[in-house]
Amino acid sequence: MRSSRDEPSEHAPETAGAPAIEGASPPGRRGWSARILGGGTEPDPRFTLANERTFLAWIRTALALLAGGVAVEAFTSDTFASPVRTALAVVLLLLAMVLAVAAGVRWLAVERAMRRQAPLPLSILVPVLAGGGALVAAAFLVVVLGNA
Amino acid sequence: MLALVVAGVLLLRWVPRYGWFPLGLTLLTAATALAITAGQARRYRRSARGIRVGRIEADVVGVLGTTAAVALLGALALVVVVALPLR
């Protein structure tokens, strides 16, 4: 039984049905891009796209933290003293930066692992986000209870 | 893209407090969001084509560019909070 993937198509590109060659880059991939990905074979496209979606989810989280940092600095002048407000904003903005960079690093590590059929690496993002979120929440709690 | 716009619009709230520098950050986020929007159709076609033929190239430029843009935005926002004097 032939799948739709096997059927010839007028839109089928030059790579359709091409065998994966270990260590080879697909046609058209630039040298530096191939170097960053570190060789191997292209994984199933659904996995590549899933990796990109996960990266985008982490980037959204980083942007939410960034917006949170901006909001704390901009809107809480009646609630927190200036040093506390600045410290909370700095922690949130630092967390956003770390998450953004770690999301890119994680995407690359997962992409490389998939191209080599190696086990997926553990992500540092989860403990960083959990620890940072808990730290900021605890600081908020202490300040709010202290003001009460 | 929308998350970038929301973050950029929130930065406008800093303009009365820190001057015009945050407005530059808003423009940076708007430009990044615009660039992402402009490439949406191309990325969709590339993904659909990749699924059809069973092979797709990882978007190294897109991912690393987005990472750099968000990290830069965070760094510049930190500069605003830590280094810029209040007006």
Side-chain angles (χ1 to χ4, degrees):
Chain A
M1 185 177 142
R2 286 164 63 93
S3 69
S4 61
R5 190 179 287 174
D6 297 323
E7 291 170 6
S9 160
E10 60 178 324
H11 302 296
E14 61 285 348
T15 53
I21 302 167
E22 188 68 35
S25 296
R29 185 184 288 287
R30 278 164 289 195
W32 63 270
S33 177
R35 269 201 303 280
I36 287 174
L37 290 174
T41 56
E42 300 283 354
D44 188 307
R46 289 169 297 182
F47 298 157
T48 299
L49 294 174
N51 193 23
E52 279 186 21
R53 282 198 300 274
T54 308
F55 164 77
L56 290 172
W58 281 114
I59 284 292
R60 278 195 299 275
T61 307
L63 283 168
L65 286 168
L66 193 140
V70 174
V72 163
E73 173 63 16
F75 297 118
T76 61
S77 52
D78 296 337
T79 311
F80 300 131
S82 179
V84 175
R85 202 174 63 237
T86 302
L88 285 173
V90 165
V91 171
L92 285 169
L93 293 172
L94 272 177
L95 204 54
M97 267 181 71
V98 169
L99 267 195
V101 173
V105 171
R106 182 208 153 274
W107 173 85
L108 193 56
V110 169
E111 197 65 33
R112 282 178 168 170
M114 287 194 303
R115 292 171 68 86
R116 294 195 175 95
Q117 284 91 46
L120 297 184
L122 277 178
S123 173
I124 196 174
L125 283 162
V126 175
V128 165
L129 182 61
L135 180 72
V136 173
F140 266 108
L141 196 64
V142 167
V143 172
V144 169
L145 288 179
N147 287 346
Chain B
M1 189 271 290
L2 278 176
L4 264 173
V5 172
V6 170
V9 169
L10 262 180
L11 283 162
L12 286 176
R13 190 62 180 75
W14 276 357
V15 170
R17 192 183 295 229
Y18 292 107
W20 294 107
F21 186 75
L23 188 62
L25 297 188
T26 302
L27 292 177
L28 174 71
T29 57
T32 309
L34 211 61
I36 291 171
T37 306
Q40 280 293 72
R42 181 185 55 78
R43 269 191 299 279
Y44 179 84
R45 277 197 303 272
R46 169 186 151 270
S47 302
R49 180 174 178 267
I51 290 170
R52 198 173 62 234
V53 303
R55 187 168 177 170
I56 194 168
E57 290 183 20
D59 187 9
V60 179
V61 175
V63 168
L64 296 187
T66 307
T67 300
V70 176
L72 178 68
L73 187 64
L76 292 175
L78 266 177
V79 167
V80 172
V81 173
V82 174
L84 285 192
L86 287 171
R87 296 176 90 187

